[in-house]
Amino acid sequence: MTDEPVTTPSPTDEPSAPVETPAPSDPGVPDEVPATGDTTSLGLWLTLSGLFLLGLLGTAFGLRRRGARRRR
């Protein structure tokens, strides 16, 4: 840390002019897609979610069959 005092703007300083933001061409669709660095495809996520669903259903039906066998 430094021992220099922090300067605050004086009341005589004029504020900067507001930046004009252009109106979107279509309010429901973004004009620009932000760059996130994510390069995975939608197919990968759909495949993984499908496999998860199959595993969940298999586990549920397997536990159901296992419980039915114990009751006999």
Side-chain angles (χ1 to χ4, degrees), residues 1 8 10 12 16 18-19 31-32 34 54-55 57 62 72:
M1 283 179 67
T8 57
S10 64
T12 59
S16 61
V19 177
D31 289 336
E32 295 180 15
L54 286 174
L57 291 173
R72 288 183 187 181

Side-chain angles (χ1 to χ4, degrees), residues 4-71:
E4 296 176 17
V6 177
T7 59
T8 57
S10 64
T12 59
D13 291 341
E14 290 191 27
S16 61
V19 177
E20 290 284 330
T21 305
S25 56
D26 184 9
V29 179
D31 289 336
E32 295 180 15
V33 177
T36 61
D38 188 7
T39 58
T40 56
S41 67
L42 182 60
L44 171 70
W45 295 113
L46 291 174
T47 302
L48 288 175
S49 63
L51 289 173
F52 172 76
L53 183 60
L54 286 174
L56 186 65
L57 291 173
T59 302
F61 285 122
L63 290 174
R64 186 174 178 191
R65 288 181 66 193
R66 187 175 176 188
R69 284 185 200 158
R70 285 188 176 176
R71 284 185 238 148

